[in-house]
């Protein structure tokens, strides 16, 4: 059955299985020297996860392609881009879980990488996942000028003005009360930057024009923030078993969150407003953006 | 005075000053949020160092350009490539010095990054230096197809089959005796991969043909190993003040080295043979490869 006609939940399941097999092939086998490093990299990446970033790459690719079906080179390029954002995400989780950062022993219901492989190997696994992401972008079989754009975008989004910068602000702000604006800046860097990159990478690969890219950017900024607002709400409303990670961790660590800044009700109102912004931004893209709209619904409605 | 006519020591001084100013401009200012992260990144990168990798990029660029002087776009691209390899090198040192790795408090005669900024910031600074390297490669103003080649090369050289992989083998082998072949594989990944990448990036930017690239590869592999042999010799023959880092550290940590594997005299003989290999590989490139030959002499003759 063509993917376009699947309902959302089946489409997402299909994409999750697909990216898992792409990642499985992109990662060096555990038999390749150094085996323990590759083993740790595979454990970090192939341990499940929601694969929201990969889904965004595919959905944005679908929304931007002019023809109904992606050409084979573009399909492969979307696989590379989707794998790249998942690798960056996975490395950031490995490093965040380390004792010198969040010191978390549980992730997706399993021991974290440093608990299983030791701190040195966990740090090196993260360090090696990052260039693998850039290698996959570099190997996308599309016009070199588009590959270069994708490289620049991924680099900027993953760096000190994007994801890692947001993480640093988060670390610095433990025990402080952040104003709503500062909180928003922190999250738009820490989580939003890579979600946005996922959407825009899909657009770049599919050759989206400048007006389509603008719609994608607005959509991406809104769902990037929405994602974090949901995370903060779940931290106080869900339990550890459902979440697959330690619930109440941010509240207990006195970390600033949307809930601590604007209360549970205020956070839920903000979430509804971001949801509407995201869906409205997609209107100019027409029916091909249906998956992106469904992902926005999914992010807002998720319970873990 | 044109750079071509400078003697080697003046040329190297000129290149060291130049790359320092390129890096200074490439790194976000300490006033940019998050300030402490950018401060730590600048401290890690701008703290001196031999800048051998940058020098290799420039020298290989000079050796491969057909005209006597680089065109301005190529000059800028060489700056980006040289900065990129220095950023990767700097990040690797920051992470290597962390308590979960080598736990070193002194680097280039100054406190290491985690001693000055804390472990979390040191780890994040390293994490952010890596994508900055790829961003600079992505911003090289040369043909996109060459930028893509450079991205692939840097990614592979910095990853689990290159630098980080070598580091992982090194960690695993503490307390073990490695056979000469295993030792060589470890070093050709840990140190050699990025030295080779430096040489080849210069060649890519300058548009080196396939026969020139082959000479550069042979040269790079030889000086990559020579560099490590010298490091191992200096670890047992130099003192901490001259070295700017803790001397005798590898021997004390029971780490396998060339000296522990083949003795001091055997290591010196190997060094002479690698030196000859490197110089011979440059012969087909003619007089424009003079700087590369001088760098080989410099690496073999250095005392810190």
């Amino acid at each position: 059955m063509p993917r376009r006609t699947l309902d959302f939940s089946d489409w997402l399941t299909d994409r999750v299985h697909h990216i898992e097999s792409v990642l499985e092939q992109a990662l060096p086998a555990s038999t390749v020297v150094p085996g323990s490093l590759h083993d740790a990299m595979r454990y970090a990446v192939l341990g499940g996860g929601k694969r929201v970033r990969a889904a965004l790459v595919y959905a944005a690719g679908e929304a931007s392609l002019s023809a109904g079906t992606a050409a084979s080179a573009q399909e492969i390029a979307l696989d590379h881009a989707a794998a790249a954002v998942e690798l960056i995400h996975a490395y950031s989780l490995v490093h965040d879980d380390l004792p010198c950062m969040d010191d978390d022993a549980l992730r997706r219901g399993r021991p974290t990488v440093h608990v299983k492989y030791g701190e040195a190997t966990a740090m090196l696994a993260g360090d090696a996942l990052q260039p693998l992401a850039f290698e996959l972008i570099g190997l996308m079989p599309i016009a070199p000028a588009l590959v270069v754009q994708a490289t620049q975008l991924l680099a900027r989004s993953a760096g000190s003005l994007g994801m890692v910068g947001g993480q640093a602000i988060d670390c610095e702000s433990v025990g402080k009360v952040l104003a709503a604006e500062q909180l928003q800046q922190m999250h738009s860097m820490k989580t939003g930057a890579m979600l946005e990159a996922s959407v825009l990478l899909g657009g770049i690969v599919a050759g989206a024009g400048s007006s389509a890219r603008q719609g994608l950017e607005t959509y991406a900024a809104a769902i990037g923030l929405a994602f974090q607002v949901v995370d903060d709400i779940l931290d106080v409303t869900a339990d550890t078993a459902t979440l697959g990670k330690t619930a109440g961790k941010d509240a207990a660590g006195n970390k600033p969150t949307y809930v601590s800044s604007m209360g549970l009700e205020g956070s839920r109102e903000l979430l509804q407003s971001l949801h509407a912004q995201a869906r409205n931004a997609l209107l100019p893209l027409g029916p091909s953006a249906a998956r992106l709209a469904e992902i926005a619904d999914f992010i807002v409605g998720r319970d873990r």
Side-chain angles (χ1 to χ4, degrees), chain A:
Chain A
M1 180 158 64
R3 287 208 307 275
R4 196 52 90 76
T5 60
L6 294 173
D7 75 20
F8 178 69
S9 143
D10 291 339
W11 176 82
L12 189 61
T13 304
D14 172 78
R15 293 294 84 194
V16 169
H17 285 307
H18 181 71
I19 189 63
E20 207 76 22
S21 97
V22 170
L23 287 164
E24 153 79 33
Q25 286 168 51
L27 287 156
S30 300
T31 49
V32 175
V33 173
S36 62
L37 179 70
H38 290 134
D39 213 33
M41 290 166 70
R42 299 178 71 86
Y43 180 81
V45 174
L46 301 175
K50 294 180 285 288
R51 307 299 185 200
V52 171
R53 291 157 188 79
L56 284 170
V57 172
Y58 290 119
E62 213 169 90
S64 311
L65 283 170
S66 40
T69 316
S72 132
Q74 279 172 326
E75 294 263 17
I76 295 168
L78 287 174
D79 285 346
H80 284 215
V85 294
E86 289 294 333
L87 292 173
I88 295 284
H89 180 54
Y91 116 71
S92 77
L93 297 182
V94 174
H95 281 191
D96 283 5
D97 287 339
L98 282 169
C100 69
M101 301 286 294
D102 286 354
D103 195 13
D104 224 322
L106 192 66
R107 166 76 63 187
R108 294 171 186 161
R110 306 185 312 165
T112 45
V113 178
H114 67 274
V115 168
K116 195 168 159 75
Y117 294 92
E119 285 181 49
T121 300
M123 198 181 62
L124 292 174
D127 286 348
L129 289 172
Q130 189 159 208
L132 186 55
F134 286 100
E135 189 176 355
L136 289 174
I137 292 291
L139 291 168
M140 294 196 301
I142 53 172
L146 294 179
V147 176
V148 171
Q149 280 180 32
T151 304
Q152 291 172 8
L153 173 66
L154 185 67
R156 182 157 274 260
S157 309
S160 74
L161 303 176
M163 186 185 74
V164 175
Q167 183 65 35
I169 296 175
D170 195 15
C171 285
E172 283 171 17
S173 64
V174 173
K176 295 182 191 166
V177 177
L178 291 194
E181 260 174 49
Q182 293 171 297
L183 192 64
Q184 186 137 329
Q185 185 189 13
M186 188 261 280
H187 287 309
S188 74
M189 291 167 76
K190 184 183 168 187
T191 316
M194 283 301 301
L195 291 170
E196 254 182 85
S198 304
V199 174
L200 294 177
L201 282 172
I204 288 173
V205 169
S210 66
S211 93
R213 283 197 199 187
Q214 211 171 341
L216 292 176
E217 272 177 42
T218 308
Y219 165 85
I223 61 146
L225 283 179
F227 194 90
Q228 189 58 49
V229 176
V230 174
D231 246 17
D232 288 355
I233 292 175
L234 290 176
D235 185 65
V236 297
T237 60
D239 56 56
T240 300
T242 312
L243 224 47
K245 62 182 177 185
T246 315
K249 177 112 188 154
D250 293 341
N254 210 5
K255 283 201 173 183
T257 71
Y258 280 98
V259 178
S260 69
S261 162
M262 57 180 66
L264 194 54
E265 223 24 66
S267 302
R268 283 186 171 135
E269 279 163 29
L270 175 63
L271 184 59
Q272 293 319 315
S273 141
L274 291 167
H275 189 193
Q277 272 175 45
R279 293 203 65 129
N280 287 338
L282 297 176
L283 294 177
L285 282 88
S288 67
R291 292 296 182 211
L292 286 175
E294 289 170 334
I295 292 179
D297 303 344
F298 171 75
I299 285 175
V300 169
R302 75 197 168 92
D303 62 359
R304 64 189 179 89

